[in-house]
Amino acid sequence: MGAGRTELMETLFGLHPKNSTGEIKIKEKSIKIKSPSAAITAGIALVPEDRKLHGLVLGQTIKSNISITILKQLESWGMLSRKKEKILTTGYIHKLGIKTSSDQAMAKSLSGGNQQKIVLAKWLATNPQILLLDEPTRGIDINAKAEIYQLMKQLAAGGMGIIMISSELPEILAVSDRVLVMCEGELTADVPIEEATEAGLLKYALHKNEPAA
Amino acid sequence: MSQSLSIQQFPLKKFQSLLALLILCVVLSFMTDKFFTADNGLNVLRQVAVNVCIATGMTLVVLTAGIDLSVGSVLALCGALTAGLFKNGLSFPANDLFVGFTLLGAILGGLLLGSLLGWFNGFTVTKFNVPPFVATLAMLTIARGLTMLYTKGHPISNLGADFAFIGAGIVFGIPVPVWIAAMVVLIAVFITQKTKLGRYIYAIGGNEQAAKLSGINIRKVKLTVYAMAGAMAALGGVIVTARLDSAQPNAGISYELDAIAAVVIGGTSLSGGKGSVWGTVMGAIIIGVLNNGLVLLNVSPFWQQVVKGGVILLAVVIDKMGENRE
């Protein structure tokens, strides 16, 4: 789209340490994020836009895909605990309703919606304070979409901050509390949901540098 | 259905190379009665020990979607250094200093150099984004040149009985090189199957972008893997040197090809993320058995090369057919 939304998320997640400026504050505390692992430590998780390219190792099992972010916690005396890993992955398979015969199935054997749930599971496993979702419902079926909205609501109610990128206005209006609009790399609007309308948001997305209403 | 098929994929692949090996052994047993004897079995294992060491390190690199062409030269340089340290020690005439080495010290010196050279491979690959093929091709030449410089083109020989024991000794009925290779394999199997590092290796080979976004320090993992491959090649160098009781400046030439062949025959994908150390061990033994069998059958060495190439091709074709079926 060229609005710079994905780049902004990637920067928050420490993927552009060399060509980024500015300050990141979490709960009033300024932090430096220079790598994805630093972002994870700071409690940030990123569900990327392209799950096949950036979210999953398609040729590997559901289990390895979910546990990859928290292997450190599954290790004792230098060895991974299969038992702990099994508990973790089957837990998320149930919690998110991932439809599969086993956690040993290959990620690529699942439908788009179930693949997206694996990506969500691997990030929820890190217990993030802030969850960045880049087009989380793109290319998945309507049921899975509804389930993901439901999950987002639950997580937000539980105190997690969620920043979702979306190009679908109905989706934005349905799930957001606050809407930020970006256009050509700049923030053009910051609207509470009560004041947001499709037409109003579209205006900020299309016309750069228009004075705020 | 497609799910249950892919679940079975891994063990099936593991047994593919084992099955091929068994068939090969049965056929050879019928063709010559010199093949299926304990002596010949140990003989084959002794011969493949060096390749197993190198190919195990190669497997780790290939699993990350890399390759290491420098292992043959690294083997020569580290073998020469070990021999040189043990026989002549290190002297610094300017400071009037001489450092002598015990056998263990000399071997550790060789292994350290091997890991440093491997680390440097990983450094050029990760820091400057040089394709592994090119980075390690450069190291192949550099390490060979350094070997010539260090040995001045002459073998370092007469290393004594203790050193030779590493190549020719037998402990509990099993040749020492086989013990060493077995130890290397067990370490690598442990790393790949039981540790965080192993998972990271497979994840990087399977999808480097996704691995990076999962918070994996790609650079650190690759540096570790190339350093391990270098150390394992160095260990191969120690064994080769011990077996000949001499460090040859031209040792290990084209050994990288046998190692890659073992990796490929063992079912590890050159595009990374798929395969196993066990597969490579099977692959190395298949090559060893094939060489041995063809010698026993008095097949010309020229034909041996043709057959070996054919087997590599066959292994890759079977692998590709399996992938297409998925």
Side-chain angles (χ1 to χ4, degrees):
Chain A
M1 301 289 280
R5 303 173 306 174
T6 296
E7 290 75 7
L8 177 62
M9 294 297 134
E10 288 175 354
T11 306
L12 291 177
F13 197 61
L15 283 163
H16 303 293
K18 283 185 187 133
N19 40 20
S20 57
T21 55
E23 192 184 13
I24 300 170
K25 281 187 180 175
I26 297 178
K27 292 182 179 158
E28 308 298 320
K29 232 178 79 190
S30 175
I31 50 162
K32 290 221 178 334
I33 299 174
K34 296 206 145 124
S35 68
S37 80
I40 294 168
T41 311
I44 301 177
L46 170 66
V47 173
E49 183 173 11
D50 190 330
R51 63 180 161 268
K52 291 187 189 209
L53 222 53
H54 299 135
L56 294 168
V57 184
L58 286 171
Q60 285 171 12
T61 60
I62 296 175
K63 193 178 72 177
S64 337
N65 270 292
I66 294 180
S67 63
I68 190 81
T69 48
I70 54 151
L71 288 179
K72 265 181 211 135
Q73 297 165 37
L74 301 176
E75 213 176 35
S76 48
W77 302 99
M79 260 172 85
L80 292 174
S81 158
R82 305 234 157 179
K83 210 169 123 196
K84 278 191 205 164
E85 189 181 28
K86 185 96 190 158
I87 293 169
L88 170 88
T89 51
T90 47
Y92 276 107
I93 287 173
H94 287 302
K95 202 187 284 176
L96 303 187
I98 298 171
K99 287 176 196 70
T100 173
S101 52
S102 136
D103 64 352
Q104 297 286 345
M106 295 291 152
K108 67 179 160 199
S109 70
L110 302 184
S111 69
N114 283 303
Q115 284 181 353
Q116 188 70 312
K117 287 182 191 170
I118 301 177
V119 184
L120 281 163
K122 90 182 216 190
W123 286 114
L124 293 180
T126 66
N127 270 327
Q129 313 178 48
I130 298 166
L131 181 63
L132 311 175
L133 301 171
D134 194 347
E135 299 277 5
T137 61
R138 175 170 287 181
I140 65 177
D141 63 83
I142 192 102
N143 283 330
K145 263 187 198 180
E147 282 171 343
I148 285 175
Y149 295 145
Q150 189 59 38
L151 179 70
M152 286 168 66
K153 278 198 178 126
Q154 274 173 27
L155 293 171
M160 192 183 292
I162 300 181
I163 307 178
M164 177 185 77
I165 293 183
S166 176
S167 306
E168 293 178 43
L169 281 168
E171 173 175 278
I172 294 170
L173 293 172
V175 300
S176 312
D177 297 314
R178 179 180 163 201
V179 185
L180 303 173
V181 185
M182 285 186 75
C183 178
E184 291 174 31
E186 279 174 35
L187 196 64
T188 49
D190 180 348
V191 192
I193 191 68
E194 298 79 26
E195 294 166 24
T197 60
E198 286 206 23
L201 294 176
L202 210 53
K203 196 176 69 190
Y204 295 112
L206 296 177
H207 299 288
K208 201 185 166 189
N209 296 334
E210 181 152 326
Chain B
M1 274 317 281
S2 68
Q3 280 172 19
S4 56
L5 261 181
S6 47
I7 294 167
Q8 288 161 7
Q9 211 86 50
F10 269 114
L12 198 83
K13 224 165 208 174
K14 209 185 271 174
F15 290 126
Q16 239 171 34
S17 23
L18 182 63
L19 197 70
L21 178 62
L22 287 178
I23 293 171
L24 190 63
C25 287
V26 170
V27 170
L28 283 171
S29 305
F30 278 110
M31 288 173 80
T32 163
D33 52 7
K34 279 177 268 175
F35 177 75
F36 198 73
T37 64
D39 273 354
N40 191 48
L42 285 179
N43 187 29
V44 170
L45 288 181
R46 187 189 292 118
Q47 282 166 355
V48 300
V50 171
N51 192 23
V52 166
C53 286
I54 303 174
T56 298
M58 183 73 76
T59 308
L60 302 179
V61 172
V62 170
L63 281 174
T64 67
I67 195 135
D68 188 350
L69 298 181
S70 69
V71 285
S73 303
V74 168
L75 173 147
L77 181 54
C78 298
L81 181 77
T82 304
L85 288 180
F86 183 57
K87 199 175 174 194
N88 308 323
L90 272 181
S91 44
F92 304 93
N95 306 335
D96 203 16
L97 186 70
F98 174 81
V99 186
F101 281 83
T102 62
L103 181 56
L104 185 65
I107 292 172
L108 288 179
L111 294 186
L112 183 66
L113 177 65
S115 2
L116 282 176
L117 295 169
W119 184 89
F120 189 81
N121 280 332
F123 177 75
T124 38
V125 167
T126 53
K127 181 81 183 174
F128 304 107
N129 252 329
V130 180
F133 188 94
V134 181
T136 60
L137 184 65
M139 180 57 78
L140 178 149
T141 308
I142 293 170
R144 182 64 61 189
L146 290 176
T147 310
M148 293 299 169
L149 285 169
Y150 181 70
T151 62
K152 301 185 181 69
H154 301 297
I156 304 172
S157 305
N158 300 322
L159 303 168
D162 286 350
F163 204 136
F165 184 77
I166 297 169
I170 288 177
V171 175
F172 300 125
I174 309 273
V176 175
V178 178
W179 283 112
I180 296 175
M183 195 186 68
V184 168
V185 167
L186 286 179
I187 292 172
V189 166
F190 178 79
I191 289 172
T192 49
Q193 298 194 352
K194 303 277 181 204
T195 69
K196 192 177 68 183
L197 175 64
R199 291 293 183 83
Y200 288 172
I201 290 172
Y202 279 95
I204 290 173
N207 184 346
E208 185 164 331
Q209 283 305 312
K212 187 181 172 192
L213 275 142
S214 301
I216 297 174
N217 187 336
I218 310 273
R219 182 172 294 175
K220 201 166 123 193
V221 173
K222 283 192 177 173
L223 284 173
T224 309
V225 162
Y226 280 93
M228 284 201 291
M232 289 176 190
L235 202 52
V238 172
I239 297 173
V240 169
T241 305
R243 244 169 62 191
L244 300 171
D245 192 23
S246 164
Q248 302 283 339
N250 58 356
I253 286 177
S254 85
Y255 276 25
E256 64 280 352
L257 299 181
D258 267 355
I260 295 168
V263 170
V264 169
I265 292 174
T268 296
S269 158
L270 285 179
S271 47
K274 268 185 200 163
S276 69
V277 172
W278 284 125
T280 298
V281 174
M282 292 302 136
I285 297 177
I286 287 175
I287 295 173
V289 166
L290 209 61
N291 281 338
N292 173 264
L294 294 172
V295 168
L296 293 179
L297 293 170
N298 286 323
V299 176
S300 128
F302 303 145
W303 274 113
Q304 288 177 31
Q305 305 213 13
V306 176
V307 171
K308 206 159 87 185
V311 168
I312 296 171
L313 212 52
L314 189 71
V316 180
V317 169
I318 291 174
D319 200 47
K320 280 283 164 208
M321 276 161 55
E323 257 173 46
N324 291 343
R325 227 179 296 132
E326 266 175 40

